[in-house]
Amino acid sequence: MRGLSRRSVLAAGAALPLLSPRSVFAQGKPVLDIGLGPDVDTLDPHKSTTIVAGQLFIELWEGLTSFAADGTIVPGVAERWETSTDGLTWTFHLRGDAKWSDGTPVTADDFVFAWRRAVTPSTLLGLPEWIAPIKNALPILQQGKDPATLGVTALDDRTLVVTLEHPKPDLTVYTAYWILSPLHRASMIKHGGSFAQPGKLVSNGPFMLSVAVPQSHYALTANPHFHAAASVAVAGVNYHVTEDLQTELKRFRAGELDATKEVPPTQLDWARTNLADSLRLAYRASTFFLVPNLTKAPWKDNPDLCVALSMAIDRKVIVEKITKGGELPAFSMTPEGLVGYTPPKPDWADLPAADRIARARALFAKAGYGPDNPLSLELLYNTNELNRQVAVAVAAMWQQTLGVKTSLSNQEFKIVVSRMKEHTFQDIVRITWAVGLVTEYLNLLRSRANTVGPGYINPALDRAMEAVDQSVTLEEFHAKLAAAEKIAIQDMPMIPVMRQSSRRLVSPPLKGWVDNPLDLHSARYLSRP
């Protein structure tokens, strides 16, 4: 059967039974089935803290700018924009044919309403750094300033003026992400906190939400009022939740999925041989982190311990012998390939293994640990075969190099995210951060990042990031970001392990799929017979 449900609500508005693989159509257009990965934490774009949910958000909402099939930034609701010479004022001109899924126009005031809602403290914004560049955003969030003072103004229905706290040369990347999307005022007032449910959600993206079954699937229907609806070649898409990669592989082989979220590491070589025409491996701008709980001992105020553990990891072995899917070793917080930025590496990154291990042991002893005082820790990760394999490898390296005893604990994704946000994990938690906003990796380390960061407090890093914020040109921005990165590398408040690759299985009949560093693939660009 196609999908996990017995029916999908499609473009015609009728409930149709799911038929055999590759046979579900509505109004002459196919319905796609794509692997989502673990379940999303929430469908409220202001409350989510996971990149997983982003795949649904880019289908349901469109911001001032949008993502092209190759991940580059293109006009969205805004057809054009200009900036002031000091980089502090941006004026966006909205397209005249932007509409909500109920047929009403998308206006500049819809952005004002949404952004003010985002910064209202009671909203509990999940990723405050993503709106921090807007004038007064943080004073409103943190000090109770009036949301009406936020730096966003609707001059008329089609003109939006945005005032910034500091220059942001890459602002058009931020405006493509969901936190800065518009919201439909009338439906939100009517439904309150339940607005993001099927039958209630009024969206402005290429698709509408038809079915939401947690831990199962999300069925989306093509939005007939989307300004580019004529170019959308599918009637809908079912995103299937799966944390068991083996199960996802079986479903793809059975013809139940057009594309998977991942490929099981143990099946990668088999897929290279047997599914070569479907296997897609591509660089993904991301960082696979091990994050110590810096709010408690022994991690708090003990950077030597964090750096020692980082130095004890042989990243080359992990990516070449364990994951083997095109991953790259990571020594910095920020990945390569975002707005032209190349991050620096620590001075030990290219040392011979023996020298690196010797330095790791020396730092470990300096931190107070060794044969006479061994370290035991718990490593928490979300249930996933790749995560397990890396966790096992890292634990073995720590044991062999430093004598660390590591107990592994796995939980479903939403639980891991919750424990990280609340800092209730015991020692170290595994996360992947994969977003096209280049400053958001180091923003996790600012002292103000008290909900999504590891609890790192370093005034020098804060000052360095404030300098980054004042950059007007990209050249200046890159230089100051590298200076901040070097401070973080010295302390390793989050331990980068690798840049994950996008490892997908994509059915050959599925057209329009373009590998990109963001690993975002909107169904608006896809088609199949």
Side-chain angles (χ1 to χ4, degrees):
M1 302 293 291
R2 284 189 64 81
L4 297 177
S5 67
R6 289 289 173 180
R7 63 177 188 165
S8 292
V9 181
L10 303 176
L16 300 180
L18 293 178
L19 306 176
S20 60
R22 306 287 180 259
S23 63
V24 177
F25 285 77
Q27 294 185 342
K29 294 183 178 181
V31 176
L32 304 180
D33 286 273
I34 296 176
L36 179 65
D39 203 358
V40 304
D41 52 346
T42 174
L43 286 178
D44 185 329
H46 289 158
K47 296 185 177 183
S48 177
T49 59
T50 70
I51 304 304
V52 173
Q55 183 62 55
L56 298 180
F57 292 148
I58 66 167
E59 306 287 35
L60 296 171
W61 280 280
E62 182 179 59
L64 294 167
T65 52
S66 185
F67 297 105
D70 63 358
T72 57
I73 298 299
V74 295
V77 176
E79 58 186 3
R80 58 186 175 86
W81 51 86
E82 60 262 0
T83 65
S84 60
T85 54
D86 61 6
L88 294 177
T89 303
W90 292 61
T91 303
F92 292 89
H93 303 277
L94 277 55
R95 58 191 312 132
D97 56 352
K99 294 182 179 180
W100 292 101
S101 54
D102 66 354
T104 57
V106 177
T107 68
D109 187 63
D110 293 326
F111 286 91
V112 175
F113 169 75
W115 297 9
R116 287 179 179 175
R117 188 238 186 196
V119 297
T120 299
S122 60
T123 297
L124 301 177
L125 182 63
L127 295 168
E129 289 294 341
W130 294 21
I131 200 170
I134 311 301
K135 183 74 173 178
N136 287 329
L138 291 183
I140 296 168
L141 280 164
Q142 299 173 351
Q143 301 164 22
K145 195 168 183 176
D146 185 355
T149 63
L150 186 69
V152 57
T153 303
L155 293 186
D156 53 46
D157 283 352
R158 294 178 58 185
T159 310
L160 187 75
V161 177
V162 179
T163 307
L164 305 182
E165 284 284 358
H166 51 77
K168 203 77 181 85
D170 60 338
L171 181 67
T172 54
V173 183
Y174 282 73
T175 53
Y177 279 95
W178 40 92
I179 284 180
L180 294 182
S181 292
L183 289 174
H184 187 261
R185 182 195 297 264
S187 62
M188 293 198 64
I189 292 174
K190 179 179 179 180
H191 300 297
S194 66
F195 79 96
Q197 295 179 0
K200 298 178 181 178
L201 180 60
V202 179
S203 56
N204 76 315
F207 296 91
M208 306 177 292
L209 180 66
S210 298
V211 176
V213 182
Q215 293 299 332
S216 176
H217 69 287
Y218 297 85
L220 310 183
T221 305
N223 177 6
H225 296 290
F226 182 56
H227 62 82
S231 67
V232 177
V234 298
V237 53
N238 298 314
Y239 281 103
H240 297 277
V241 175
T242 177
E243 300 199 27
D244 185 339
L245 302 187
Q246 296 289 350
T247 298
E248 187 181 48
L249 174 60
K250 291 177 182 177
R251 299 195 65 211
F252 181 82
R253 294 183 64 193
E256 297 176 3
L257 294 175
D258 294 287
T260 68
K261 177 63 175 178
E262 294 189 52
V263 177
T266 56
Q267 300 296 319
L268 195 54
D269 288 340
W270 179 89
R272 284 188 170 105
T273 299
N274 297 281
L275 294 173
D277 59 344
S278 299
L279 183 61
R280 308 288 288 262
L281 302 177
Y283 171 73
R284 185 182 181 204
S286 63
T287 306
F288 181 113
F289 285 114
L290 302 177
V291 183
N293 190 341
L294 299 182
T295 67
K296 58 187 290 189
W299 313 102
K300 186 176 182 179
D301 301 322
N302 196 352
D304 289 333
L305 180 57
C306 298
V307 176
L309 290 178
S310 182
M311 293 178 68
I313 298 172
D314 191 328
R315 292 158 173 82
K316 185 176 180 181
V317 167
I318 288 177
V319 301
E320 293 183 357
K321 305 297 184 183
I322 307 299
T323 61
K324 300 185 294 184
E327 292 79 12
L328 300 174
F331 297 93
S332 61
M333 312 298 150
T334 311
E336 299 78 3
L338 297 177
V339 297
Y341 175 65
T342 301
K345 295 194 297 187
D347 58 2
W348 50 263
D350 297 319
L351 285 177
D355 293 344
R356 176 176 50 78
I357 288 172
R359 286 183 60 176
R361 288 172 174 164
L363 275 178
F364 194 61
K366 183 181 176 184
Y369 293 93
D372 297 331
N373 184 31
L375 175 67
S376 297
L377 61 86
E378 179 186 86
L379 172 54
L380 173 66
Y381 64 93
N382 59 291
T383 304
N384 175 288
E385 187 175 337
L386 177 68
N387 295 343
R388 183 192 64 80
Q389 288 192 339
V390 175
V392 169
V394 168
M397 292 172 182
W398 285 343
Q399 172 70 45
Q400 181 177 2
T401 302
L402 303 174
V404 175
K405 297 180 180 179
T406 304
S407 62
L408 303 181
S409 174
N410 64 292
Q411 299 283 348
E412 72 174 59
F413 182 66
K414 288 197 286 189
I415 293 176
V416 172
V417 170
S418 175
R419 290 184 63 184
M420 181 179 176
K421 288 168 60 177
E422 297 166 358
H423 293 103
T424 56
F425 61 99
Q426 182 172 313
D427 292 298
I428 294 179
V429 64
R430 186 226 73 89
I431 66 164
T432 291
W433 201 236
V435 63
L437 304 169
V438 66
T439 53
E440 296 313 313
Y441 295 80
L442 291 180
N443 275 342
L444 293 171
L445 303 179
R446 293 179 114 158
S447 57
R448 70 194 192 194
N450 52 10
T451 58
V452 293
Y456 181 61
I457 306 294
N458 185 339
L461 187 280
D462 287 341
R463 289 193 295 270
M465 291 304 294
E466 289 169 4
V468 171
D469 289 343
Q470 298 307 314
S471 304
V472 177
T473 66
L474 277 177
E475 182 179 16
E476 180 186 12
F477 178 72
H478 292 160
K480 291 183 176 179
L481 192 62
E485 190 100 49
K486 290 177 181 178
I487 295 172
I489 285 172
Q490 290 176 351
D491 288 351
M492 284 290 171
M494 301 193 299
I495 300 172
V497 177
M498 63 184 178
R499 311 293 181 217
Q500 286 191 256
S501 67
S502 168
R503 40 167 76 193
R504 304 261 197 167
L505 291 171
V506 179
S507 177
L510 186 66
K511 304 303 181 184
W513 187 282
V514 180
D515 296 325
N516 64 79
L518 303 184
D519 197 27
L520 289 175
H521 306 275
S522 174
R524 68 179 284 193
Y525 301 116
L526 304 178
S527 64
R528 69 164 172 78

